[in-house]
Amino acid sequence: MTPTRRASLADLPLSGGGKKWTITSARQVLTETLRQAGIDSPEADARLLIAHALSLDRAALTTNSERLLRAEEIAAIDALAARRRKREPVSRILGQREFWSLPLRVSKDVLVPRPDTETLVEAALDFIGVARDRPLRILDIGTGSGALMLALLSELKNATGVATDISAAAIEVARGNAKHLGLSARCGFVVCDIAAGVSGPFDLIVSNPPYIEHGAIAALDPEVRDYDPALALDGGPDGLDAYRAIADEAPRLLAPGGRLIVELGAGQEPAVRALFTKAGMTVADARPDLAGIPRALSASLAPQLRHDQDAMRPA
Ligand SMILES: C[S@@+](CC[C@H](N)C(=O)[O-])C[C@H]1O[C@@H](n2cnc3c(N)ncnc32)[C@H](O)[C@@H]1O
């Protein structure tokens, strides 16, 4: 018998009470309980969690909608629902997130890559233009899951890269993703502070550094505050610590004619522009994300600085 009364929080867990559940009725109740728990996308989350618990894709979930669930399937749904009600993001529960159409594994040690970060990939590909077949050298500072580096390598078939992270556990996740996507042969991984010990020159340097002001972290959504690693969020007292370190390192690492592209937090463009300009770089307008927020800031070596760098390079 499927439940007919209005769903409420009391309907979870689904197990116990001896009720029979179909996929549809479980979806309805889970959607409603997630909504009541204040979750923004309850319908999509319920669908994804149930599909994951049952190992079914979206189409199979629909075609099997009236199938009765077995006790162990109900228990599996309950376990996932309990995690989501504690505000654990769905991608963390599933252990996977798509970025630039690439399936990436995510663990507790890496930021779940965000759609806004795809703005950096777009900016990088615009900069490269028609020269996509060149053997470009790319550096990704603070690679996390490897999202930026792997998206770029998937587009630029002759490029090679170095990806850094201060977290050894994050580097292991990025390395695993590179292997899974068949991109390992073109990417090295280094555990280090920013780019210490890495030598250039690089045609392209990308970074989505930690940029949240330390004091603002407590007010973030629980999905972010409680589940993204602190190392991936905390940009120091004013949110700009990592940009300062990148500004110090980029002139040493950029090839003449190369480009540095960093992700910005909302409202950070003027401060980061000033830091990069002070470091001797020429800064372009930031590329906005889909919400119109300046998101990807590009900089290159100013001509005089480029001249000095060339003079320092062995003949
Ligand atoms: C905002 S996350 C970005 C992850 C990934 N690039 C993405 O866009 O999804 C920032 C990453 O920088 C790393 N990180 C923080 N401080 C660092 C430092 N001083 N040097 C290198 N990596 C650092 C964190 O461990 C984290 O993986």
Side-chain angles (χ1 to χ4, degrees):
M1 185 180 70
T2 54
T4 49
R5 70 193 161 82
R6 189 176 146 68
S8 76
L9 281 173
D11 287 306
L12 285 184
L14 302 176
S15 349
K19 284 185 200 156
K20 294 204 184 306
W21 297 93
T22 62
I23 289 178
T24 296
S25 61
R27 260 177 88 167
Q28 286 167 346
V29 170
L30 185 50
T31 298
E32 187 54 28
T33 53
L34 293 180
R35 182 174 288 120
Q36 289 180 28
I39 284 163
D40 280 346
S41 46
E43 208 162 348
D45 288 9
R47 170 174 54 74
L48 287 164
L49 293 176
I50 292 179
H52 185 67
L54 305 180
S55 302
L56 294 177
D57 63 20
R58 189 176 186 157
L61 207 61
T62 306
T63 37
N64 291 287
S65 60
E66 293 313 309
R67 169 162 90 65
L68 280 178
L69 296 174
R70 297 191 299 274
E72 65 273 18
E73 291 175 326
I74 293 170
I77 294 169
D78 277 337
L80 301 186
R83 288 171 68 182
R84 186 67 190 107
R85 285 168 69 190
K86 287 186 195 151
R87 306 298 290 263
E88 185 171 351
V90 169
S91 341
R92 291 206 178 278
I93 297 173
L94 306 189
Q96 182 171 308
R97 175 70 180 233
E98 202 166 276
F99 181 82
W100 201 255
S101 299
L102 302 175
L104 297 178
R105 191 174 78 77
V106 293
S107 76
K108 65 176 179 39
D109 299 304
V110 299
L111 186 94
V112 171
R114 311 291 208 267
D116 291 342
T117 303
E118 295 187 341
T119 312
L120 270 76
V121 182
E122 291 164 1
L125 294 178
D126 269 6
F127 160 63
I128 288 154
V130 293
R132 287 197 181 195
D133 291 339
R134 278 177 48 210
L136 297 160
R137 291 250 305 151
I138 305 171
L139 172 65
D140 177 12
I141 298 173
T143 197
S145 62
L148 278 170
M149 174 59 80
L150 299 175
L152 289 167
L153 291 182
S154 75
E155 294 285 347
L156 305 167
K157 305 296 180 199
N158 294 316
T160 54
V162 176
T164 75
D165 206 291
I166 203 161
S167 158
I171 285 288
E172 278 317 300
V173 173
R175 209 193 293 276
N177 281 325
K179 190 169 175 202
H180 179 66
L181 295 170
L183 296 169
S184 306
R186 290 196 282 131
C187 188
F189 294 93
V190 183
V191 180
C192 67
D193 186 4
I194 302 294
V198 172
S199 45
F202 293 98
D203 303 293
L204 181 62
I205 302 177
V206 291
S207 184
N208 172 20
Y211 56 63
I212 311 288
E213 285 176 30
H214 180 80
I217 290 177
L220 295 173
D221 285 344
E223 278 87 348
V224 180
R225 182 192 63 214
D226 299 341
Y227 293 96
D228 279 321
L231 269 176
L233 301 177
D234 195 340
D238 62 359
L240 302 175
D241 280 1
Y243 297 111
R244 283 190 196 89
I246 291 169
D248 284 348
E249 287 281 49
R252 170 179 81 80
L253 294 165
L254 268 178
R259 186 65 61 93
L260 165 68
I261 306 176
V262 296
E263 177 162 329
L264 299 169
Q268 288 179 321
E269 182 179 7
V272 180
R273 172 182 295 281
L275 281 173
F276 287 179
T277 305
K278 195 170 157 210
M281 291 184 276
T282 302
V283 186
D285 284 342
R287 186 186 183 98
D289 63 19
L290 288 174
I293 295 169
R295 191 60 73 184
L297 190 69
S298 295
S300 48
L301 293 181
Q304 181 54 41
L305 195 64
R306 188 186 306 167
H307 178 77
D308 295 347
Q309 298 271 313
D310 289 347
M312 283 161 58
R313 223 162 253 134

